[in-house]
Amino acid sequence: MPIRVIDTWFGTFCDRSQIYYNFTQSHEYLNANGDVQKIEQLVQGYFDFAILSHRWELGEPLFRHVDKALRDEDVASIYMMRTPPGVKKLQQFAEPRQSGYRWAWSDTCCIDKSSSAETQESINSMFQWYRNSAITVVYLAGLEDSKLEKGSRRPAAQTSSPPSSGTDVPSQPLFDPSSDYPPFDNPVTLEIVRSRDSAKDWPCF
């Protein structure tokens, strides 16, 4: 699992300890009552993640851009971001109905390049992350909507709840109190995300 991923349900960052914390707080895990076989089955789906394969363009949203935006009381989710220019690609990739997975990773914003240790670990582990991902979403920069063939496998935008990945959808992200990554001062909820203009018609490729 990468160091940091995007929680596609809420459009926020989530680190490894938070993902594990979310898992141990889920109804399915708690209802397993320590049954190792049931827990193993839950693990197989819960920790799956999507990964983005793309060519960097001008205005890609970096970690510092997204982290700053998520701490803004008027944003709090990547789905509400307007800048930098490349944020639309990130929103399209992370949109939960795009891949069907709760966790998503992009090399542009999920690596804090101001940390040399994190950057080095990411470089050393990136091949393994791509290999272990449940799905790789490929972004083709030159492909316009008008050129997509009729009947293609492009998913249609919907307004239903995000896929559950085998667990119930919480009303807001759960933050591990022991995590090194601090919780946000303004926790986002699904209602906040869906109430914003940018989320009324969630984008997809």
Side-chain angles (χ1 to χ4, degrees), residues 55 57 89 138-148:
R55 178 180 178 180
E57 301 172 282
K89 175 168 63 174
V138 180
Y139 180 85
L140 303 177
L143 187 64
E144 299 176 3
D145 287 352
S146 61
K147 294 182 180 180
L148 288 172

Short mmCIF file of all heavy atoms in Angstrom, two decimals, residues 55 57 89 138-148:
data_model
loop_
_atom_site.label_atom_id
_atom_site.label_comp_id
_atom_site.label_asym_id
_atom_site.label_seq_id
_atom_site.Cartn_x
_atom_site.Cartn_y
_atom_site.Cartn_z
N ARG A 55 0.86 11.07 -18.34
CA ARG A 55 2.00 11.94 -18.63
C ARG A 55 1.77 13.27 -17.93
O ARG A 55 0.68 13.85 -18.02
CB ARG A 55 2.13 12.17 -20.15
CG ARG A 55 3.26 13.10 -20.54
CD ARG A 55 3.31 13.26 -22.05
NE ARG A 55 4.37 14.19 -22.44
CZ ARG A 55 4.65 14.54 -23.70
NH1 ARG A 55 3.94 14.01 -24.69
NH2 ARG A 55 5.62 15.38 -23.95
N GLU A 57 1.56 17.06 -17.19
CA GLU A 57 1.30 18.24 -18.00
C GLU A 57 1.52 19.49 -17.15
O GLU A 57 1.80 19.39 -15.95
CB GLU A 57 -0.15 18.19 -18.51
CG GLU A 57 -0.45 16.96 -19.35
CD GLU A 57 -1.92 16.84 -19.67
OE1 GLU A 57 -2.70 16.42 -18.79
OE2 GLU A 57 -2.29 17.16 -20.82
N LYS A 89 -8.08 16.61 -14.08
CA LYS A 89 -7.65 15.24 -14.34
C LYS A 89 -7.64 14.42 -13.05
O LYS A 89 -8.08 13.27 -13.04
CB LYS A 89 -6.26 15.23 -14.97
CG LYS A 89 -5.68 13.84 -15.17
CD LYS A 89 -4.44 13.84 -16.06
CE LYS A 89 -3.30 14.62 -15.46
NZ LYS A 89 -2.06 14.48 -16.26
N VAL A 138 -5.56 4.65 -17.11
CA VAL A 138 -4.65 5.33 -18.01
C VAL A 138 -5.32 6.60 -18.55
O VAL A 138 -6.43 6.54 -19.08
CB VAL A 138 -4.24 4.42 -19.19
CG1 VAL A 138 -3.30 5.16 -20.14
CG2 VAL A 138 -3.59 3.15 -18.66
N TYR A 139 -4.65 7.73 -18.38
CA TYR A 139 -5.17 9.00 -18.86
C TYR A 139 -4.50 9.33 -20.19
O TYR A 139 -3.28 9.45 -20.28
CB TYR A 139 -4.89 10.11 -17.84
CG TYR A 139 -5.40 11.47 -18.27
CD1 TYR A 139 -6.72 11.84 -18.04
CD2 TYR A 139 -4.58 12.38 -18.92
CE1 TYR A 139 -7.20 13.08 -18.43
CE2 TYR A 139 -5.04 13.63 -19.32
CZ TYR A 139 -6.36 13.97 -19.07
OH TYR A 139 -6.82 15.19 -19.47
N LEU A 140 -5.32 9.48 -21.24
CA LEU A 140 -4.82 9.83 -22.57
C LEU A 140 -5.14 11.30 -22.83
O LEU A 140 -6.28 11.66 -23.10
CB LEU A 140 -5.47 8.94 -23.63
CG LEU A 140 -5.27 7.43 -23.43
CD1 LEU A 140 -6.01 6.64 -24.49
CD2 LEU A 140 -3.79 7.08 -23.46
N ALA A 141 -4.13 12.14 -22.71
CA ALA A 141 -4.34 13.59 -22.73
C ALA A 141 -4.94 14.10 -24.04
O ALA A 141 -5.69 15.06 -24.05
CB ALA A 141 -3.01 14.31 -22.46
N GLY A 142 -4.64 13.46 -25.15
CA GLY A 142 -5.10 13.98 -26.43
C GLY A 142 -6.47 13.49 -26.86
O GLY A 142 -6.96 13.85 -27.93
N LEU A 143 -7.11 12.65 -26.05
CA LEU A 143 -8.39 12.08 -26.43
C LEU A 143 -9.53 12.95 -25.96
O LEU A 143 -9.71 13.20 -24.78
CB LEU A 143 -8.54 10.68 -25.82
CG LEU A 143 -9.76 9.87 -26.26
CD1 LEU A 143 -9.71 9.57 -27.75
CD2 LEU A 143 -9.84 8.57 -25.46
N GLU A 144 -10.31 13.48 -26.90
CA GLU A 144 -11.44 14.34 -26.57
C GLU A 144 -12.72 13.53 -26.47
O GLU A 144 -12.86 12.47 -27.08
CB GLU A 144 -11.61 15.42 -27.65
CG GLU A 144 -10.40 16.33 -27.79
CD GLU A 144 -10.57 17.32 -28.93
OE1 GLU A 144 -11.65 17.31 -29.54
OE2 GLU A 144 -9.63 18.08 -29.19
N ASP A 145 -13.67 14.05 -25.70
CA ASP A 145 -14.95 13.35 -25.52
C ASP A 145 -15.63 13.08 -26.86
O ASP A 145 -16.22 12.03 -27.07
CB ASP A 145 -15.90 14.19 -24.65
CG ASP A 145 -15.48 14.18 -23.19
OD1 ASP A 145 -14.57 13.40 -22.86
OD2 ASP A 145 -16.07 14.92 -22.41
N SER A 146 -15.54 14.03 -27.78
CA SER A 146 -16.23 13.90 -29.06
C SER A 146 -15.68 12.77 -29.91
O SER A 146 -16.32 12.30 -30.83
CB SER A 146 -16.15 15.22 -29.84
OG SER A 146 -14.80 15.55 -30.10
N LYS A 147 -14.45 12.33 -29.58
CA LYS A 147 -13.82 11.28 -30.36
C LYS A 147 -14.03 9.90 -29.78
O LYS A 147 -13.59 8.90 -30.33
CB LYS A 147 -12.32 11.57 -30.50
CG LYS A 147 -12.03 12.83 -31.30
CD LYS A 147 -10.54 13.06 -31.45
CE LYS A 147 -10.26 14.32 -32.27
NZ LYS A 147 -8.82 14.57 -32.42
N LEU A 148 -14.70 9.84 -28.62
CA LEU A 148 -14.99 8.54 -28.05
C LEU A 148 -16.06 7.84 -28.89
O LEU A 148 -17.04 8.44 -29.28
CB LEU A 148 -15.50 8.69 -26.61
CG LEU A 148 -14.46 9.10 -25.57
CD1 LEU A 148 -15.17 9.40 -24.25
CD2 LEU A 148 -13.43 8.01 -25.37
#
